[in-house]
Amino acid sequence: LHGHTDSVQSVAFSPDRRVLASAGEDRSIRLWDVRTHRSLGAPLTGHTDTVASVAFSPGGRVLASGGADGTIRLWQARTHRPLGAPLTGDGGAVVGVAFSPDGRLLASAGNDGTIRLWDVRGRRLAGPPLNRYAGTVRGVAFSPDGRLLASAGADRTIQLWDVRAH
């Protein structure tokens, strides 16, 4: 699949496996038809720096993107339109995003060593940042039941977080 004008940083399949989202250093997100290998419309733009991560919500209706510009953007996957203003946590680059299995929370991984949990519907932080890293948090993933959040750090550690306690 060709279309980005700089390196690709992240990819994610929609839950129905029909669409692939890609994020790149060219500050764009592209959506691809998996069957035809064709781009689905114009690139999604709005980040002012590298788009480092993308993730679909469990139902596939929302796409989240995290960028080196320190923002998280939510997009309506079907129309490719932004859903409100970007989310900002004052923590520098967002290098990873992941939805909880029920789609209510979005976890973000930052280069400032923090993990933030976002209330997707309310579009606000769901509590104080989770912070145990000396360096960049590289990625986040929820357990299938949504009770645990795993985070991967540049400091060579993996942390497990009880989301219910947060």
Side-chain angles (χ1 to χ4, degrees):
L1 307 177
H2 299 280
H4 283 281
T5 60
D6 207 333
S7 69
V8 178
Q9 297 293 306
S10 179
V11 291
F13 280 103
S14 64
D16 65 7
R17 301 180 308 255
R18 292 180 183 173
V19 177
L20 179 72
S22 60
E25 281 193 31
D26 60 3
R27 303 176 183 181
S28 76
I29 301 140
R30 292 185 175 267
L31 298 177
W32 306 91
D33 182 306
V34 173
R35 189 179 55 78
T36 66
H37 295 187
R38 291 204 172 124
S39 180
L40 295 171
L44 284 62
T45 59
H47 285 281
T48 59
D49 204 338
T50 298
V51 185
S53 58
V54 285
F56 280 96
S57 65
R61 292 184 175 177
V62 176
L63 177 71
S65 59
D69 61 2
T71 67
I72 297 165
R73 293 181 178 266
L74 299 177
W75 309 87
Q76 190 175 58
R78 189 174 46 78
T79 66
H80 306 179
R81 294 181 187 226
L83 293 171
L87 306 175
T88 57
D90 299 325
V94 177
V95 297
V97 290
F99 281 95
S100 63
D102 64 8
R104 293 181 184 175
L105 293 175
L106 179 72
S108 63
N111 72 351
D112 66 343
T114 63
I115 298 107
R116 289 177 171 77
L117 294 175
W118 300 88
D119 172 346
V120 174
R121 181 170 280 148
R123 300 184 54 79
R124 65 181 183 278
L125 284 170
L130 307 174
N131 193 341
R132 277 196 206 144
Y133 285 96
T136 299
V137 182
R138 295 287 184 195
V140 285
F142 281 93
S143 63
D145 65 6
R147 293 181 178 184
L148 292 176
L149 178 71
S151 57
D155 64 357
R156 301 184 306 257
T157 66
I158 298 164
Q159 300 285 336
L160 295 176
W161 307 87
D162 183 346
V163 176
R164 296 168 301 175
H166 186 65

